[in-house]
Amino acid sequence: MKRAHLRPRAHCHRVASTPFTRALLAWFRRHRRDLPWRRIRTPYTTWISEVMLQQTVVAAVAPRFEAWLKRYPDARSLARAPLEEILRAWEGLGYYSRARNLHAAARLIATNHGGHLPDTLPALRALPGIGEYTAAAILSLAHGLPFPVLDANVKRVTQRLLAEPEWTPAVAIKARTFLEHHLSRRDPGGFNEAMMELGALVCAPRAPRCAECPVSSSCRGHELGIAALIPERRRRPVTTVMTTVIIAIHRTRVWLVESSHANRLPGPATTKPTPGSSFLQGLSAFPRLPAVTAAIATKVPDGFPLEPVTHSYLNMRETLRPILVRVPTSAAVTRTAGRWVPIAELEHFPMPSAYRRIARSILGLDTRSRAF
Ligand code: SF4
């Protein structure tokens, strides 16, 4: 194996250990949280935990990570599982492209790497869903190689240490140089984890607790009294949307569509999913009002309303209003593809969490009620 490209650019310029690094690692030894992925540190567990943690909070990931490892203890078992099963196991973690990428990458790892994650930057980066940050985490945390990790926490901490309010390409270079200078030679993974932990526990997004910080004497943002103002926040307006979701029931079956079709933003109905909606591909959902046929649409005013469900996505807050509509014949409900499935089997279909909550409310209905 060629190790030359394992070395980050500025590695050779680092000193043995800086006061910053010693203070940070001493603090980490005392305050590190006992998290499941820290107990079993392998390239595979590091990969899974880092991908789960990308857009999900630690408290939500911890139980899911343990359940995932029981079900898929290694890349080979993940590669063997059908995608639909993996999407179902991922439910509730959101951003399903991550689960699809895990599956695709596991198949490549099984086929091309004998079931083991590769240990070079180019080979890791060639796998679906593994970007620079995840590759650096795997190489440093699981292999002890000197790659600094720049996740959201580390970016914020470094910006404050350097007193740089805005993240620009020039600041990114400064931040990387700073991290490479201080990265522990003996324990690069521990250094990266300590930086991430500092961002999670002390240098918090809204209110940094500088009085408790082990590296405050090296922090330019703290020295200038501007730490809490970094990074500069630009508020994006939140759009609120109300959407009617049709629960079409024929006897004991319900109409399901692929989520990318159901999940169109409100607007004129078309026969194609909206651009970018393929990130929900492979998931099932109930159709939204514009997509149903005219015959079904006329029944909506007399339908049975279920509890609304609100969810947020980026800067959109959407309330789904499910209306249960009885359909006398088993004809198609939507103008796009869909299928009738037994209500009792809804649990087996992977769905975005907002739709899962609606599915659970359907399963909880008394079948002798007015709804049916
Ligand atoms: Fe963050 Fe304050 Fe520590 Fe600077 S001194 S790194 S702003 S917690």
Side-chain angles (χ1 to χ4, degrees), residues 80-371:
R80 276 196 303 270
L83 177 61
E84 195 170 68
E85 182 193 301
I86 286 167
L87 292 172
R88 183 74 183 89
W90 193 263
E91 253 191 43
L93 291 168
Y95 297 91
Y96 288 85
S97 57
R98 291 182 291 163
R100 264 190 291 278
N101 281 334
L102 279 177
H103 188 233
R107 290 187 155 188
L108 289 173
I109 292 165
T111 313
N112 300 341
H113 301 283
H116 302 287
L117 268 96
D119 63 357
T120 67
L121 188 61
L124 281 170
R125 292 289 310 268
L127 295 168
I130 298 193
E132 177 145 4
Y133 152 65
T134 309
I138 295 167
L139 293 170
S140 65
L141 272 60
H143 292 288
L145 292 168
F147 286 84
V149 165
L150 254 179
D151 75 341
N153 274 334
V154 179
K155 270 187 189 171
R156 184 180 61 257
V157 175
T158 317
Q159 265 183 276
R160 286 173 176 168
L161 286 165
L162 299 171
E164 292 286 357
E166 215 181 324
W167 188 260
T168 63
V171 172
I173 292 170
K174 254 174 107 175
R176 179 168 282 279
T177 305
F178 176 91
L179 293 170
E180 286 175 349
H181 176 71
H182 291 289
L183 190 72
S184 165
R185 260 184 217 172
R186 291 179 54 197
D187 187 9
F191 175 87
N192 285 332
E193 278 200 286
M195 283 294 287
M196 292 190 263
E197 197 79 331
L198 188 71
L201 300 183
V202 177
C203 197
R206 299 217 169 266
R209 295 201 289 274
C210 303
E212 300 164 33
C213 180
V215 292
S216 58
S217 60
S218 313
C219 182
R220 187 101 177 99
H222 173 55
E223 186 190 329
L224 297 175
I226 57 168
L229 304 175
I230 300 173
E232 257 173 9
R233 281 181 253 288
R234 291 203 188 98
R235 285 189 186 282
R236 286 187 300 175
V238 176
T239 311
T240 54
V241 178
M242 188 79 85
T243 306
T244 300
V245 172
I246 306 300
I247 316 300
I249 303 274
H250 175 68
R251 298 197 178 136
T252 57
R253 295 184 301 159
V254 62
W255 183 261
L256 281 190
V257 293
E258 188 182 285
S259 180
S260 57
H261 290 247
N263 218 29
R264 286 187 216 131
L265 293 173
T270 65
T271 51
K272 289 180 184 167
T274 43
S277 59
S278 60
F279 73 102
L280 289 166
Q281 201 185 339
L283 301 179
S284 296
F286 306 104
R288 292 164 178 240
L289 182 57
V292 296
T293 59
I296 300 293
T298 56
K299 290 177 173 294
V300 173
D302 300 323
F304 183 83
L306 301 180
E307 193 68 26
V309 168
T310 298
H311 70 123
S312 297
Y313 177 70
L314 297 177
N315 58 337
M316 187 175 85
R317 187 175 161 81
E318 184 181 39
T319 300
L320 302 178
R321 288 174 50 242
I323 306 284
L324 197 145
V325 176
R326 286 190 57 190
V327 179
T329 65
S330 59
V333 167
T334 50
R335 283 171 275 139
T336 50
R339 57 183 162 165
W340 290 104
V341 305
I343 294 172
E345 290 177 17
L346 275 178
E347 275 295 321
H348 304 309
F349 290 85
M351 291 180 176
S353 354
Y355 287 90
R356 172 63 60 209
R357 280 153 69 195
I358 296 174
R360 296 226 162 103
S361 70
I362 299 168
L363 289 166
L365 284 175
D366 182 344
T367 48
R368 291 162 302 177
S369 76
R370 181 169 87 76

